[in-house]
């Protein structure tokens, strides 16, 4: 019997932890699990533990020399001058004991999600421990040691022969995944993010379209700083619908960073919880329309771990399992149980009030600029769609 969705989780995922002060904090997984449990939306038989990725699976996207370096760093045997050449031992991605095993569990979780969906055991799968989209073939970057999405896409290609649409809604550009498949026409990458003018990693411009046979299969929508809900959602839905109609994938892999929210301390967008209700709704709809429901979702960024991430990630699961409409009131017990640790007042509703920030004076200008960005990014795609004969 096919399940609607499976939730990939075990406590091994909490081992990916740089330090108590580091902004990447897996306590957000615990908070999300607790929130879903509080509203009785996560049954024990829906939870599937991740397996650890093998070296051979990591080698699908990572250089063996790099994997060896991470293993040595894990046990304190990699000199710092060598570590920095691999992007580890830096302020963003410091070394911690057991980092190889912890990272391999994150990758294995995404591969577990892939197998459940592609073998028909579940229509959808959610792995919130994944989504580390900045990792490169031979180098860590931006809190990401191994790139689970890139490994998973290679795995999807080799084991299942699948055409993959990768959709990245993190506020930071999904650079590691894009560059991994930049010359591959069987993988289409779509990243909607804050412009890299003032934000790491500084890439994701509309002219990053792909290379060689992969030209025209990489799409970027860099939004202006302070973009609000309506403009963000218009850009996302318009682009998603046109790109999927153009590419017609076998499966959708969505990266669900929750850092486009106004509260996020590392970014400059002005979205609210409204977009985090719509992001999975649209992905769910399009997965059924184009991919027989095949939808794999992973986590990603999100640095307001108390007020934003648990709500945003819970909404993905509620959408996947058809529980969205059955869930109305936000559980006061969850907020009360975590208030003393949070250091900020916790939410009492699923969505934000309309006055969580003062009006943005440049709203009209930002909205118009974002529309122009979408038009430019999709211009060639639209030309191709117009030239296709009608069926």
């Amino acid at each position: 019997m096919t399940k609607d969705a499976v939730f990939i989780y075990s406590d091994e995922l909490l081992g990916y932890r740089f330090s108590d002060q580091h902004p990447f904090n897996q306590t957000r997984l615990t908070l999300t699990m607790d929130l879903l449990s509080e509203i009785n939306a996560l049954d024990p038989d829906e939870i599937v533990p991740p397996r650890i990725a093998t070296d051979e699976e990591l080698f699908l996207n990572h250089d063996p020399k790099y994997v060896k370096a991470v293993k040595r760093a894990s046990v304190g045997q990699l000199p710092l001058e060598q570590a920095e050449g691999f992007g580890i031992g830096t302020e963003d991605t410091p070394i911690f004991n057991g980092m190889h095993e912890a990272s391999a569990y994150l990758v294995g979780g995404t591969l577990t999600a892939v197998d459940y969906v592609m073998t028909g055991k579940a229509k959808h799968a959610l792995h919130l421990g994944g989504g580390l989209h900045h990792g490169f073939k031979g180098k860590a970057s931006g809190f990401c040691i191994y790139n689970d999405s890139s490994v998973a896409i290679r795995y999807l290609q080799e084991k299942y022969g699948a055409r993959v649409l990768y959709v990245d809604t993190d506020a930071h550009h999904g650079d590691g995944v894009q560059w991994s498949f930049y010359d591959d026409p069987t993988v289409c990458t779509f990243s909607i993010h804050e412009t890299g003018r003032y934000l790491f990693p500084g890439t994701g411009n509309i002219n990053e379209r792909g290379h060689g046979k992969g030209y025209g299969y990489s799409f970027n929508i860099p939004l202006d700083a302070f973009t609000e809900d309506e403009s963000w959602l218009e850009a996302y839905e318009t682009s998603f619908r046109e790109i999927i109609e153009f590419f017609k994938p076998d499966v959708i892999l969505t990266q669900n960073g929750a850092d486009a929210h106004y509260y996020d301390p590392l970014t400059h967008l002005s979205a609210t919880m409204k977009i985090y209700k719509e992001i999975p709704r649209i992905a769910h709809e399009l997965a059924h329309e184009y991919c027989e429901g095949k939808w794999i979702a992973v986590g990603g960024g999100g640095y307001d771990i108390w007020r934003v991430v648990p709500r945003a990630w819970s909404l993905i699961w509620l959408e996947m399992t058809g529980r969205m409409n059955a869930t109305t009131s936000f559980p006061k017990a969850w907020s009360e149980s975590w208030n003393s640790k949070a250091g900020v007042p916790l939410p009492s509703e699923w969505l934000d009030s309309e006055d969580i920030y003062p009006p943005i004076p440049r709203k009209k200008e930002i909205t118009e600029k974002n529309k122009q960005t979408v038009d430019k990014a999709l211009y060639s795609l639209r030309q191709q769609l117009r030239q296709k004969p009608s069926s």
Side-chain angles (χ1 to χ4, degrees):
M1 182 177 175
T2 301
K3 294 178 179 290
D4 280 338
V6 289
F7 190 101
I8 311 300
Y9 181 80
S10 75
D11 288 346
E12 279 82 3
L13 300 176
L14 303 179
Y16 193 88
R17 189 174 182 87
F18 296 106
S19 71
D20 291 343
Q21 293 74 40
H22 197 282
F24 191 100
N25 188 338
Q26 292 292 61
T27 299
R28 59 200 184 144
L29 293 178
T30 305
L31 291 163
T32 304
M33 290 278 292
D34 193 48
L35 178 54
L36 288 169
S37 298
E38 192 65 48
I39 59 172
N40 298 313
L42 184 58
D43 298 333
D45 65 352
E46 293 173 313
I47 302 173
V48 174
R51 60 178 175 81
I52 191 167
T54 66
D55 287 359
E56 289 71 25
E57 288 165 343
L58 295 175
F59 296 161
L60 290 173
N61 188 72
H62 293 291
D63 191 313
K65 292 181 181 178
Y66 172 61
V67 174
K68 183 178 179 181
V70 174
K71 287 183 175 182
R72 290 180 64 197
S74 291
V75 293
Q77 294 179 358
L78 188 69
L80 189 57
E81 60 271 18
Q82 293 182 33
E84 290 181 347
F86 291 106
I88 50 181
T90 64
E91 184 178 0
D92 273 0
T93 315
I95 292 170
F96 62 94
N97 290 335
M99 65 191 295
H100 165 74
E101 289 78 10
S103 303
Y105 263 112
L106 299 191
V107 177
T110 305
L111 298 180
T112 302
V114 166
D115 282 334
Y116 262 78
V117 169
M118 298 307 290
T119 60
K121 293 179 181 177
K123 294 177 183 177
H124 322 306
L126 178 61
H127 173 45
L128 295 172
L132 304 189
H133 59 170
H134 295 307
F136 293 100
K137 182 176 182 180
K139 190 173 185 178
S141 177
F143 313 160
C144 305
I145 297 168
Y146 297 140
N147 191 320
D148 62 286
S149 292
S150 291
V151 173
I153 293 170
R154 298 278 187 207
Y155 186 78
L156 279 160
Q157 291 177 308
E158 295 205 2
K159 187 172 182 178
Y160 299 103
R163 286 167 56 84
V164 183
L165 173 58
Y166 172 78
V167 179
D168 191 317
T169 53
D170 196 289
H172 300 86
H173 176 229
D175 56 342
V177 183
Q178 173 181 290
W179 302 127
S180 290
F181 303 98
Y182 208 53
D183 59 355
D184 188 342
T186 68
V187 176
C188 183
T189 62
F190 162 40
S191 179
I192 178 170
H193 47 267
E194 180 184 335
T195 173
R197 193 177 304 122
Y198 306 111
L199 189 69
F200 177 90
T203 53
N205 298 313
I206 58 174
N207 61 355
E208 294 170 22
R209 299 288 318 284
H211 177 71
K213 291 182 179 179
Y215 184 79
Y217 293 90
S218 175
F219 295 92
N220 287 291
I221 308 295
L223 300 175
D224 235 23
F226 308 110
T227 292
E228 298 181 73
D229 289 339
E230 293 79 7
S231 181
W232 197 101
L233 286 170
E234 180 182 19
Y236 167 72
E237 183 166 12
T238 298
S239 302
F240 198 166
R241 290 188 182 279
E242 294 189 33
I243 290 167
I244 198 169
E245 170 62 22
F246 157 75
F247 186 66
K248 292 185 169 60
D250 298 316
V251 58
I252 300 171
L253 172 58
T254 63
Q255 193 269 16
N256 294 268
D259 49 3
H261 196 280
Y262 175 78
Y263 286 152
D264 196 274
L266 301 188
T267 64
H268 316 95
L269 296 173
S270 297
T272 72
M273 290 307 301
K274 181 178 179 180
I275 74 166
Y276 295 109
K277 186 175 182 182
E278 292 299 300
I279 287 170
R281 182 191 67 78
I282 294 166
H284 194 187
E285 175 189 328
L286 294 178
H288 281 287
E289 185 174 345
Y290 288 89
C291 309
E292 299 178 331
K294 293 184 179 68
W295 173 28
I296 301 151
V298 294
Y303 308 100
D304 188 313
I305 69 167
W306 302 102
R307 296 175 292 183
V308 177
V309 181
R311 288 189 293 167
W313 284 357
S314 292
L315 289 171
I316 304 170
W317 181 247
L318 294 176
E319 175 63 41
M320 271 191 173
T321 57
R323 292 183 173 107
M324 185 73 78
N325 294 332
T327 303
T328 52
S329 60
F330 192 82
K332 292 181 180 179
W334 179 86
S335 298
E336 291 170 355
S337 67
W338 290 102
N339 252 328
S340 61
K341 295 182 179 180
V344 291
L346 293 183
S348 58
E349 302 289 342
W350 283 103
L351 299 182
D352 298 309
S353 63
E354 295 183 359
D355 60 351
I356 67 167
Y357 57 83
I360 306 296
R362 293 178 50 244
K363 180 176 181 177
K364 185 176 181 181
E365 176 188 338
I366 291 168
T367 299
E368 182 56 37
K369 188 173 181 181
N370 289 338
K371 285 182 180 178
Q372 293 174 6
T373 295
V374 171
D375 288 342
K376 290 176 183 176
L378 300 183
Y379 177 79
S380 296
L381 176 153
R382 289 169 174 170
Q383 294 294 102
Q384 292 181 59
L385 288 175
R386 288 192 189 101
Q387 292 169 9
K388 282 187 177 181
S390 57
S391 55

